Amino acid sequence: MIRRVFLLLALLAWIPAGLAAIDTYEFESEEQRTRFYQLSGELRCPKCQNQNIADSNSPIANDLRREIFRMLEEGQSNDQIVEFMVMRYGDFVRYKPALTAQTAVLWFAPAVFLLAGFIGLVVMLRRRQSALRSTADQHLNADEQQRLKSLLEKKSSHD
């Protein structure tokens, strides 16, 4: 009896997956299909944040896919569609934000930090090399050599 109840519950768990809606779009041309998938891959889902709208199953991603399809059917260009999405959801909706004054930090900060780290490493290594050279160039005078010799003899006599 318990097995039958468990089996029934397992079967009921699969029902929502079978009822899930699948978006199907009929494109006028292969070029339109290619543009649809390209735009769906370039635009980020506002809800999921780290998924494009092609991979997201959220309701807003479904709406955005329908909106892209509608705009493609109206004959709008990719730039017009992306600009519409950016005006509606902000630069966040783009995986590759445009280079503007507001996004310049996103584009150039990694290179600046990498360059600063490289320069810091070079400066540190040069200072270390110059310190090693300066200590190697220093020689003990006669009094210092005599004192060192006597200290070493004392130590060896105590062992």
Side-chain angles (χ1 to χ4, degrees), residues 14-159:
W14 284 96
I15 289 175
L19 297 176
I22 298 173
D23 290 335
T24 56
Y25 300 106
E26 293 196 22
F27 299 96
E28 295 173 4
S29 67
E30 191 59 36
E31 183 258 341
Q32 198 178 46
R33 177 188 309 276
T34 304
R35 288 178 54 207
F36 176 82
Y37 288 116
Q38 177 190 1
L39 288 167
S40 296
E42 288 178 6
L43 297 172
R44 184 189 323 253
C45 174
K47 182 179 180 186
C48 305
Q49 297 185 3
N50 206 20
Q51 275 187 319
N52 57 27
I53 61 173
D55 295 336
S56 175
N57 289 326
S58 71
I60 192 163
N62 291 333
D63 292 343
L64 291 177
R65 285 193 297 268
R66 278 193 296 273
E67 189 69 20
I68 290 172
F69 179 74
R70 182 192 62 78
M71 294 174 89
L72 284 172
E73 292 228 320
E74 290 176 358
Q76 295 190 25
S77 70
N78 288 6
D79 291 336
Q80 290 172 321
I81 294 171
V82 169
E83 186 62 32
F84 171 79
M85 296 295 178
V86 168
M87 286 183 63
R88 196 169 195 187
Y89 298 102
D91 276 326
F92 175 79
V93 79
R94 302 174 96 178
Y95 266 117
K96 298 176 185 174
L99 181 58
T100 64
Q102 290 85 8
T103 61
V105 172
L106 294 173
W107 283 99
F108 299 116
V112 168
F113 285 127
L114 186 64
L115 183 63
F118 181 72
I119 289 171
L121 182 65
V122 168
V123 167
M124 184 180 70
L125 290 174
R126 285 192 177 177
R127 283 184 183 170
R128 182 179 288 172
Q129 285 178 347
S130 67
L132 289 173
R133 270 189 250 125
S134 68
T135 57
D137 291 342
Q138 294 177 353
H139 297 287
L140 298 176
N141 61 28
D143 291 339
E144 291 171 333
Q145 286 179 355
Q146 183 62 34
R147 184 162 185 256
L148 178 61
K149 186 178 178 182
S150 67
L151 287 172
L152 288 173
E153 287 175 359
K154 282 184 187 177
K155 183 170 177 10
S156 62
S157 66
H158 287 286
D159 290 339

